[in-house]
Amino acid sequence: MEILAFGVQADEKPLVEAAFAGHHEVRCLDVFLNEDTAPIAAGYEVISTSVNADLDRRVLETLAAGGTRMIAQRSTGFNNIDLAVAERLGLTVARVSFYSPYSVAEFAWALALAVDRRIVRASTRTRDFDFRLDGLMGRDMHGRTAGVLGTGKIGAAFARIAHGFGMRLLGWDIAENPACLDLGMRYVSKDQLLAESDLVSLHVPLMPQTRHLLDAAALKAMKDDAILVNSSRGGLIDTAALVDELRAGRFTGVGLDVYEAEAGLFFLDKSLQPIEDDTLARLMTFPNVLVTSHQAYYTEDAVGQIVETTVRNVLDYTAGRRSENVLVPRS
């Protein structure tokens, strides 16, 4: 059987092909799955999708009409898939429930340190042989407070790094993580965490109840000189409200690896096109904001694990097995 894989990055392609070798043939496409590209999948029983695929009702109906019966998503998040429609259409859906939490946690810290120590501005200056230090003063992380919203595997990895810096740890989650408690983390309300933290990092999944977890009121509750990092999902932050706070001169720095309207932008080259998203365009103008293109997970270790799990999900489907990765079981 030949598998059709959408949204495969150039660095990812050799890993995908090697993982499927000896099991199934795989055809890798660099285009993302959406309403326009869904007809390409006609005749493929199994397809694989990336995190920025759009699997709404119309796309799923096109896939089902073309003969697709299984969707293997190469990510942990699945907020882009209408699972109710998939179940109605008899589509099996699986995801990658676990991969290296260190990839995302370490990148979140890279963003935090980059905005704190003005790394991008410093690099730009020195490339122009401007070696002044004006405007580059940062702050020690040691002794300050890190607030971790979401203390699962990635949040816990982020907290361990914060502990290594000698930071006070505050956590917020629906359940306390014993590993974080062992680090000395104190679980508090979201409002208290935002009010007391010098660094706030988001590590929660995007669901209806977490959408705009940091809305206008929550952002106003943060310290004026706080650092905000989001390497989870863009929809956790009300970006328009964030722009308003930045315009008011608030926050030492903001590091974003995700954006709530990133579909159709991230992973693509838009350098020669006008950006129609006024909110994103304005966000990019702030000197204390660093935006990257959803690359926190993008390490050899994490992508390797993602691809291997995707292959196992496909093999489980063909063998009629069910694992913890299955979101919608085979009918």
Side-chain angles (χ1 to χ4, degrees):
M1 180 169 60
E2 186 177 38
I3 315 299
L4 182 62
F6 286 92
V8 179
Q9 304 295 311
D11 296 333
E12 184 185 8
K13 184 177 179 180
L15 298 176
V16 172
E17 293 176 337
F20 273 103
H23 301 293
H24 296 289
E25 295 182 14
V26 61
R27 177 187 175 195
C28 295
L29 303 179
D30 59 2
V31 298
F32 296 98
L33 178 61
N34 54 40
E35 189 174 4
D36 294 328
T37 60
I40 300 173
Y44 287 89
E45 180 180 351
V46 177
I47 67 165
S48 178
T49 60
S50 64
V51 66
N52 265 6
D54 181 6
L55 288 108
D56 62 11
R57 176 185 58 80
R58 291 171 298 182
V59 171
L60 292 173
E61 288 176 347
T62 299
L63 293 175
T68 296
R69 293 294 175 263
M70 194 267 182
I71 299 167
Q73 175 132 307
R74 301 188 308 278
S75 73
T76 298
F78 52 90
N79 55 284
N80 60 320
I81 308 173
D82 191 327
L83 297 180
V85 172
E87 184 174 12
R88 173 173 62 80
L89 295 171
L91 295 170
T92 300
V93 181
R95 63 160 178 164
V96 177
S97 58
F98 174 82
Y99 61 86
S100 169
Y102 310 108
S103 60
V104 179
E106 291 172 4
F107 193 83
W109 267 105
L111 290 175
L113 293 173
V115 296
D116 176 49
R117 302 305 300 268
R118 314 295 197 270
I119 299 297
V120 175
R121 182 185 297 180
S123 176
T124 301
R125 281 188 186 179
T126 55
R127 288 177 68 87
D128 291 332
F129 294 91
D130 179 352
F131 300 104
R132 294 172 299 162
L133 299 183
D134 296 347
L136 300 182
M137 184 174 288
R139 299 181 300 180
D140 290 359
M141 291 294 180
H142 179 84
R144 288 189 160 82
T145 299
V148 186
L149 292 166
T151 57
K153 293 181 177 66
I154 296 174
F158 183 90
R160 281 193 292 273
I161 299 172
H163 182 262
F165 274 105
M167 301 186 76
R168 172 183 175 234
L169 296 175
L170 296 180
W172 176 86
D173 209 325
I174 57 175
E176 297 182 355
N177 186 336
C180 291
L181 292 173
D182 289 343
L183 296 173
M185 176 178 284
R186 185 160 63 93
Y187 282 85
V188 296
S189 68
K190 185 182 75 171
D191 289 344
Q192 183 177 348
L193 182 149
L194 296 175
E196 296 183 14
S197 296
D198 301 293
L199 165 63
V200 174
S201 190
L202 292 163
H203 301 286
V204 301
L206 179 61
M207 301 178 290
Q209 56 268 41
T210 61
R211 184 166 188 79
H212 287 181
L213 182 69
L214 294 191
D215 56 14
L219 292 167
K220 289 183 182 301
M222 293 175 61
K223 291 184 174 182
D224 287 344
D225 60 353
I227 292 172
L228 173 62
V229 173
N230 187 10
S231 57
S232 186
R233 289 292 183 269
L236 298 174
I237 297 177
D238 183 338
T239 315
L242 176 60
V243 169
D244 288 341
E245 296 304 306
L246 289 165
R247 290 180 62 187
R250 302 189 65 232
F251 305 139
T252 290
V254 175
L256 304 174
D257 185 50
V258 287
Y259 173 61
E260 62 180 323
E262 68 182 54
L265 290 172
F266 283 20
F267 303 145
L268 300 172
D269 182 3
K270 297 289 185 177
S271 60
L272 299 179
Q273 302 174 29
I275 297 300
E276 298 177 357
D277 188 325
D278 292 337
T279 302
L280 179 60
R282 184 57 192 263
L283 196 61
M284 295 287 204
T285 66
F286 295 102
N288 58 334
V289 173
L290 174 57
V291 178
T292 52
S293 53
H294 207 142
Q295 69 181 80
Y297 77 98
Y298 207 53
T299 66
E300 292 181 5
D301 311 82
V303 173
Q305 291 169 0
I306 288 169
V307 171
E308 290 170 4
T309 300
T310 299
V311 172
R312 287 199 301 272
N313 288 342
V314 173
L315 295 177
D316 285 343
Y317 164 79
T318 56
R321 296 187 297 263
R322 181 174 177 178
S323 73
E324 71 280 0
N325 296 323
V326 175
L327 300 169
V328 179
R330 187 170 186 172
S331 56

